[in-house]
Amino acid sequence: MDKASTDIVFASMVSKVLLILASTIFQGVEGTIGVNYGTVANNLPPPAQVAHFLLESTTINRVRLFDANPDILQAFAHTGIEVTITVPNDQIPHLTNLSFAQQWVKTNVESYTPATDLVRVLVGNEVVSTANKQLIASLVPAMQTLHSALVAASLERSIKVSTPHSLGILSSSSPPSTGKFRQGYDTHVLKPLLTFLRATNAPFMVNPYPFFGCSSENLDYALFRPNPGVLDENTKLLYTNMLDAQLDAVFSALKLLGFDDIEIVIAETGWPSEGDSSQVGVSPDSAADYNSNLVRHVMSGNGTPLMPNRTFETYVFALFNENLKPGPTCERNFGLFRPDMTPVYDAGILRPTARSTIPTNRGPDTSSTPGIPPISSSPLPREKGKQWCVPKAGADPDALQRNIDYVCGLGLSCGPIQEGGPCFMPNTVGAHAAYSMNLFYQVMGRHEYDCDFDQTGSITDVDPSYGRCVY
């Protein structure tokens, strides 16, 4: 099998493993939980480490980027994790030019597919709420032109174009049945936008944040905790959480324009674990309640009062605490994880093996640099009591070959197992897998979960080095 075919098979297998795992944890509902991967920080781990961590240690199988960072796109190659990229707001007017759009697609999309599973390109973020007339006027034409560029590249079936909106696009949202879009924007911007989304089978994306709408009186309602609920007098439907009310207000607004058939995707939602003293309900416990309940709710299949029996593709904000974000303290503390990839709290998205090995009893993150080594081509220095990662006895050779392809595909130095290298002989899949799996285990910091490899790896105290082949 050639390398391209092996990569495709490996990505497919990874996707199947993730879906099986997610369905086990979430009662048979296909996994649809993603995360917003923001990078406004100076202490984040290298993208290759992040990609591996998400793949091996979490149930997250979708990532949304706020740009088209080439290092991140390359890091997610062959992982099977679906990636959404973004055209920054300031580039939207340029994107209305077809030649610009085609060059953008060539540089930021074609260069990475199909190795990286790109599924969506977002044109800006919360553009309608910026009140910038040029951006708003350019939004739909830019989306149309970008779609044309994807058509020219024969990518329009696999990669959809959309744009996320804040709830500020609504002029009314309470009760949910009265939801409607702001006058002027409804017919001049949103109706053409929705027409485009329907024609291209793309979703309407929103950023609902119960955190910004809560008070001490309705905190339990916002956090999915037990509460009396809120009755919509028009429909006589009872709402037991604020997110459902916000989503149904969007649904009502879509229905008013005749677009209630369009899928709604939650592009951002989350809760901070730390904030200023004046803010209500800001703590690790509240963040854990919101995000863990959110995951269970959107994947339960219960839907909302106006949209029953649905699951919602949802992207939690955010992957990491970002120490350079401006604004109040909470803006820097929406992360599920610290920069060293330890969880700020348990949001229910860690795999069981990772949950048992990653410490959770740490205080607030005060470090300016990550607590893990940057990825490099060399293992950590040898030390007394060192351990190694090797294949389990009887491991499937095809699985071991995928391990080799994955490690070497990250750019780590696999020269020793290539022809002429000190570890090339014996020329067997098992021997080459032992070297590459151990290389990854040593480079990533010797965590137990870095030797999992879909349960084909095993940690040993016996040095597998031989001759000039040094592990």
Side-chain angles (χ1 to χ4, degrees), residues 30 316 465:
E30 181 177 313
V316 178
S465 302

Side-chain angles (χ1 to χ4, degrees), residues 437-448:
M437 290 164 66
N438 179 69
L439 173 64
F440 185 87
Y441 171 70
Q442 303 296 334
V443 165
M444 296 300 283
R446 304 179 189 134
H447 302 108
E448 182 178 343

Side-chain angles (χ1 to χ4, degrees), residues 71-404:
D71 293 331
I72 297 177
L73 289 176
Q74 186 172 0
F76 279 90
H78 313 304
T79 63
I81 294 175
E82 295 185 355
V83 179
T84 292
I85 58 177
T86 303
V87 180
N89 284 7
D90 59 2
Q91 292 187 31
I92 292 175
H94 302 294
L95 205 63
T96 59
N97 179 285
L98 182 58
S99 60
F100 180 93
Q102 289 176 324
Q103 184 58 51
W104 196 94
V105 167
K106 183 176 180 180
T107 302
N108 299 288
V109 178
E110 291 184 79
S111 298
Y112 303 99
T113 55
T116 301
D117 191 8
L118 290 170
V119 297
R120 197 172 290 140
V121 179
L122 305 184
V123 177
N125 185 45
E126 300 187 348
V127 174
V128 177
S129 300
T130 64
N132 183 313
K133 292 182 178 179
Q134 183 186 20
L135 290 184
I136 295 170
S138 302
L139 179 60
V140 176
M143 294 172 71
Q144 293 168 330
T145 308
L146 180 60
H147 177 73
S148 296
L150 290 170
V151 170
S154 300
L155 292 170
E156 79 282 3
R157 290 182 179 273
S158 58
I159 301 175
K160 301 299 180 180
V161 177
S162 190
T163 184
H165 305 277
S166 79
L167 294 190
I169 60 173
L170 299 175
S171 62
S172 174
S173 60
S174 183
S177 58
T178 65
K180 60 182 177 181
F181 296 120
R182 291 190 177 279
Q183 190 173 5
Y185 290 142
D186 53 356
T187 56
H188 296 296
V189 180
L190 293 169
K191 195 166 186 177
L193 189 151
L194 290 163
T195 301
F196 167 80
L197 296 179
R198 177 186 278 164
T200 58
N201 195 30
F204 187 72
M205 305 185 72
V206 293
N207 300 340
Y209 277 95
F211 170 70
F212 293 114
C214 80
S215 64
S216 56
E217 289 75 28
N218 65 3
L219 183 60
D220 289 341
Y221 179 63
L223 291 171
F224 300 90
R225 291 171 177 167
N227 67 90
V230 177
L231 184 69
D232 185 327
E233 291 290 349
N234 295 327
T235 60
K236 305 304 179 185
L237 294 172
L238 183 69
Y239 287 82
T240 58
N241 67 83
M242 190 181 294
L243 181 73
D244 279 358
Q246 292 178 340
L247 292 175
D248 276 358
V250 173
F251 176 78
S252 295
L254 292 172
K255 187 175 183 179
L256 201 59
L257 290 183
F259 292 92
D260 54 323
D261 58 317
I262 291 181
E263 178 190 5
I264 295 174
V265 166
I266 301 173
E268 281 182 44
T269 190
W271 200 282
S273 59
E274 188 179 344
D276 299 318
S277 58
S278 60
Q279 293 180 305
V280 174
V282 180
S283 70
D285 286 343
S286 293
D289 278 352
Y290 180 78
N291 283 321
S292 60
N293 287 328
L294 165 78
V295 169
R296 280 192 291 270
H297 183 63
V298 299
M299 299 180 70
S300 67
N302 293 332
T304 69
L306 289 180
M307 295 180 285
N309 306 316
R310 291 197 193 185
T311 59
F312 293 91
E313 182 181 343
T314 300
Y315 293 80
V316 178
F317 186 88
L319 180 54
F320 294 113
N321 284 335
E322 297 172 70
N323 66 345
L324 297 183
K325 291 195 73 174
T329 303
C330 68
E331 288 294 330
R332 293 176 288 282
N333 290 280
F334 270 89
L336 296 170
F337 297 94
R338 301 178 181 89
D340 64 359
M341 296 194 285
T342 55
V344 180
Y345 49 84
D346 185 3
I349 49 87
L350 282 174
R351 290 174 54 171
T353 51
R355 188 176 291 112
S356 65
T357 57
I358 297 178
T360 57
N361 57 339
R362 294 174 35 135
D365 177 36
T366 56
S367 64
S368 59
T369 57
I372 52 177
I375 195 163
S376 68
S377 296
S378 302
L380 297 174
R382 288 177 175 271
E383 60 188 37
K384 187 176 181 180
K386 182 178 174 182
Q387 295 178 313
W388 294 264
C389 176
V390 296
K392 284 183 179 178
D396 178 24
D398 289 341
L400 296 182
Q401 182 63 54
R402 289 194 293 272
N403 296 344
I404 297 169

Side-chain angles (χ1 to χ4, degrees), residues 46-60:
Q49 280 181 298
V50 176
H52 172 71
F53 172 70
L54 292 180
L55 180 65
E56 296 288 327
S57 302
T58 78
T59 57
I60 292 168

